[in-house]
Amino acid sequence: MSEMNAQNSSSLWRDAWIRLSRNRMAVVGGAVLLTLGLLSLCAPWISPYRYETQNLELGATGPQLTWDTQQLVYGTCTQQRAQVLAAGYEGEIDVLPADSTELHRTIEGQDYGRTLWVASAPGNTNLMAMVITSEGFDPLEEIPERANFILLKSRGHLLGTDELGRDLFTRILYGGRISLMVGLCATAVSLTIGVLFGAVAGFFGGRVDDLMMRFVDILYALPFTIFVILLTVIFDRNIWNLFLAIGAVEWLTMSRIVRGQVLSLRKQEFVEAAIALGIPQWRIVLRHIIPNCLGPVIVYTTLTIPVVMLLEAFLSFLGLGVQPPMSSWGLLIRDGSKVLEEFPWLMLFPGMVLALTLFSLNFLGDGLRDALDVRVSKD
Amino acid sequence: MWKLIFFRLLKAIPVLLVIATITFFMLRLTPGGPFDREKPIKDPEIKKQLEAHYGLDKPLSAQYLEFLGKLMVGDLGPSFKHSNRTVNEVIVKAFPVSAELGLWSLLVALGLGLTAGMIASIRPNSFLDYTPMTLAMVGICVPTFVMGPILILVFSLKLEWFNASGWDQWADRVLPALTLGGVYAAYVARLTRGGMLEVMSQDYIRTARAKGASEARVLLKHGLRGGLMPVVAFLGPAVAGLISGSFVVETIFQIPGLGRHFVEAAFNRDYTMVMGTVLFFAALIILLNLLVDIIQVWLNPRLRGT
C-alpha cells in the first residue's frame, strides 16, 4: 500500500512541477528569490567590504554602479584614523618607502589604478594624503620629507555608501541574510505551531476540536501587531525572540487550513486502516495525516513568508527589530527615510530589493497555488 | 439580528478580559519599570514615593484587582509619562486624529480599489485588466514605510505640493491617506475583480441582461452587490491593518495620533498608557468586525438564517 501511495504522490508532484514551470511569472519569481538568497548567503565572498566597516571621511556617496574606483576621499586625518582606514581595507595594504623621492620612483611605471595614499610624518600625528591615478599622482599637501606611507587601494561603491561611509550594497546583502532568515525561521515557527495545532484539532474532532477552534477564534480578535510590538519591546531584542514573536502570531490561518484538511482526511480508508492496525494516534497524525495535507500547507507557507518579512521590516522600521550595526532591509529603509532629501538612494535601493522580494514571493505563491490546485483563501 | 449583536458583544467581554490580563502580567513580570528609562531616578526615597503615588508598591495581585475595578467604570488611570494627564484624556485627544486618518485611508482604499477592480473585471485578460492588476500587485509589494517616503520625496520635496509632515491643514491629509489607503486599495481591487468575475457568470445576471437592463445597471445594481462580498469580508482584517499601519504612517508624517502614543508608551513602559491603548484598540477591532458582519448579512440574504 505504501508503494502505491508513493507512486501516486510522485505523479501528483510531477504534474504540479510541470504546471509550475509553465507559469512564467512564478518561475521568474523563484529565480529572483534563489539569486537573492545566494547573493545574501555568499555576501562575504561577493563584497570586498564588511557591513559594519565605516569610512567616515567618505561619508554618504551616491551610487557609482561599478566596483572600479571612481571617486576617492582625501584629506588629512589622524594616525589612529589612518590605521582604522587601513584595517578596513583588508589585505590591500602595502608599506611603501618612507622617502618621497623614493616614493616617486616606486610609482613611476606602475599602474596602481586610482589609489589613495596616506602618509604620516614621524612626530606628526596628522597624516597627509593624496590621490594617485595611473597618469601620475596629485599631492594635496606637501609631502613630508620622511614619512611612513600606507597604500590603500580603494574600490568603488556599487550602490553608494551611507553617512558613515558603509557600503550600501554590502549592507543590503547582509541585511538580506537577516530579512530572509526571519522570513524563513518565523514562517517555520508558525508552520510548526499551525500544522500541529490544526492537525490535532482536526484529528480528535468533537469537543477537543471545538475548544481548540474557539481558542483560535478568540486569538483572531486580538490586535496582533500590537502584541508583537509589546513582545519585542518587553523581551530582549535579539533575533530569536523576533522569530518567536512573529511566528507566534502568524499561525492561526495555517491551523484552520490544516484542520479543514484533516477533518476530511480522517474519514478516508487509509486512516481507518491505520487505526485498525493499532498504530498509535500520534504516529497516525505525524505519518499519515500531515503528509497528505502538504499541498495547501506549502502554498500557504509561500504566502506567509512575504507577510512575515513585511512584519519584520515593519518592526525594524519602528526600531524594534535587529539592532545596529547589524542591518535588515526594514532597518535600512528606516535609516534611509531619515535622510531622504539629501541621500535618496539610501532608502530607494533597500526599498526596491524588499519590494522585488515580496513581488517574487507573491508570484511564486500564486503559481504554486495554481499548480497544486488548492483553494486557499487569501486573507 | 439583534440577537447576533447582543451575543457578539457578550462574547467580547471575556476576550477583552483575556487581553487585559495577558497584557497586564506581560508588562509587569518583565524587568524595567516606567521610572527606569532615560533619566533613572537615583534617590530611592523619591522612587519609593513615586511608586507609592501610582500604587506600584502594592502586591501585584492587588494592583491587578484595582486595575480591573477601575476598568469596569472605564477609568484607565493616570499616564506615567504624560504627567497630570489621564490615559482617558490622551486617548480622547489622540484618537480623533487616528480615526480621521483611518477614514480618509478607507475612502482612498475603496474609491481606488473598487474602481480599479470593476474596470479590470469588465474585460478579463485584456489590457484593461492587466494594467490595474499590475498596479495592484505593486501596491501590495511596496510597503507603507517605503511608499510614504517616496511620496514625500516626490510630492513635497521635489514638487513642493504638500507639506512633508504635520496635521494642520486639509492638504496634510492627502499624502498619509494615500500611503495608508494605497495598500488596501490594491487588495480591494484584487478582491473586487475576483468577486465580480464570479458573480457576472451567475444566472441572475443573465436574467437581468435578458430582461433588458442596461449594462451599467447590471454591473452596478446586480453585479456589485454580490461582487462586493469578498471585499466586505476583507474589511474586517483591513480595519485592524489600517490601525496598525497607522503606527508607521503616523511616525513617517509626524501625526499626533494614537498609534504613535502606543509605540512610545511601549518603549517607556508607561504601564497604564499601554494597557489603555491595547484595550482600546482591541475593543475597536471587535466592534468594527461586528459591523463588518452586520454589513455582510445585509448584503447577502442567504446568511440571515444563521
Side-chain angles (χ1 to χ4, degrees), chain A residues 222 233-234 314 340 347 362, chain B residues 19 30 137 149 248 262 266 269:
Chain A
L222 295 186
V233 171
I234 289 171
F314 170 87
L340 189 64
M347 197 221 64
N362 278 315
Chain B
I19 296 175
T30 45
M137 201 59 176
V248 165
F262 168 73
R269 301 285 155 89

Side-chain angles (χ1 to χ4, degrees), chain A residues 94-220:
Chain A
D94 291 334
V95 177
L96 283 157
D99 185 334
S100 72
T101 32
E102 192 72 17
L103 175 65
H104 272 281
R105 214 168 295 145
T106 319
I107 300 163
E108 259 169 348
Q110 283 194 39
D111 186 8
Y112 277 101
R114 287 165 81 89
T115 45
L116 173 68
W117 295 71
V118 180
S120 82
N124 182 355
T125 48
N126 280 330
L127 300 185
M128 318 302 273
M130 57 189 161
V131 175
I132 295 170
T133 64
S134 45
E135 286 95 49
F137 76 94
D138 180 15
L140 300 159
E141 304 272 344
E142 205 182 328
I143 305 165
E145 206 54 53
R146 299 192 67 80
N148 298 316
F149 294 100
I150 306 167
L151 166 62
L152 303 175
K153 279 186 184 171
S154 180
R155 288 193 195 78
H157 294 274
L158 206 59
L159 299 180
T161 56
D162 65 8
E163 304 106 295
L164 298 176
R166 294 178 294 196
D167 184 62
L168 184 61
F169 181 75
T170 311
R171 287 182 66 71
I172 289 179
L173 286 188
Y174 279 93
R177 289 179 151 194
I178 302 291
S179 293
L180 294 171
M181 194 156 81
V182 171
L184 291 178
C185 292
T187 306
V189 172
S190 83
L191 190 72
T192 316
I193 303 177
V195 168
L196 283 180
F197 196 92
V200 169
F203 185 75
F204 290 106
R207 287 179 69 92
V208 179
D209 177 40
D210 235 29
L211 207 71
M212 288 174 90
M213 282 300 120
R214 209 51 63 234
F215 178 64
V216 170
D217 284 346
I218 291 181
L219 289 184
Y220 255 114

Side-chain angles (χ1 to χ4, degrees), chain B residues 12 17 61 83 85 97 133 144 165 224 228 244 250 282 296 299:
Chain B
L17 204 67
S61 53
S83 38
R85 285 172 74 189
V97 176
M133 283 305 111
T144 43
S165 62
L224 199 56
L228 273 186
S244 47
E250 283 171 21
Q296 259 179 315
L299 274 175

Side-chain angles (χ1 to χ4, degrees), chain A residues 38-52:
Chain A
L38 279 177
L39 280 175
S40 294
L41 206 65
C42 306
W45 295 282
I46 292 169
S47 163
Y49 305 102
R50 287 200 41 80
Y51 64 94
E52 78 278 28

Side-chain angles (χ1 to χ4, degrees), chain B residues 84-267:
Chain B
N84 299 326
R85 285 172 74 189
T86 64
V87 175
N88 295 49
E89 282 167 1
V90 174
I91 292 180
V92 164
K93 194 151 181 289
F95 176 63
V97 176
S98 293
E100 198 194 328
L101 172 63
L103 275 181
W104 285 119
S105 311
L106 200 62
L107 220 64
V108 168
L110 290 178
L112 284 180
L114 287 181
T115 319
M118 294 269 289
I119 291 174
S121 73
I122 294 173
R123 276 221 195 101
N125 298 323
S126 71
F127 175 72
L128 270 182
D129 181 14
Y130 290 138
T131 318
M133 283 305 111
T134 312
L135 278 179
M137 201 59 176
V138 172
I140 288 172
C141 294
V142 179
T144 43
F145 47 87
V146 175
M147 187 57 95
I150 290 178
L151 289 180
I152 292 182
L153 185 65
V154 175
F155 290 105
S156 60
L157 299 179
K158 297 283 178 237
L159 297 175
E160 300 191 351
W161 289 357
F162 303 103
N163 290 332
S165 62
W167 192 252
D168 304 316
Q169 357 163 345
W170 185 85
D172 290 343
R173 271 71 170 163
V174 177
L175 292 185
L178 273 179
T179 307
L180 190 50
V183 182
Y184 294 94
Y187 281 110
V188 168
R190 279 170 67 120
L191 290 169
T192 310
R193 177 181 176 274
M196 288 300 282
L197 282 182
E198 205 162 315
V199 164
M200 294 308 275
S201 62
Q202 303 260 321
D203 288 344
Y204 70 87
I205 295 292
R206 204 188 315 157
T207 312
R209 282 200 177 119
K211 76 181 184 188
S214 72
E215 192 57 34
R217 194 180 152 81
V218 170
L219 214 63
L220 294 176
K221 178 89 193 357
H222 300 274
L224 199 56
R225 186 160 171 162
L228 273 186
M229 293 301 299
V231 177
V232 176
F234 169 70
L235 283 184
V239 165
L242 278 177
I243 288 171
S244 47
S246 69
F247 296 161
V248 165
V249 175
E250 283 171 21
T251 309
I252 297 172
F253 292 95
Q254 312 268 316
I255 299 167
L258 202 50
R260 253 175 79 197
H261 276 296
F262 168 73
V263 177
E264 272 165 30
F267 267 119

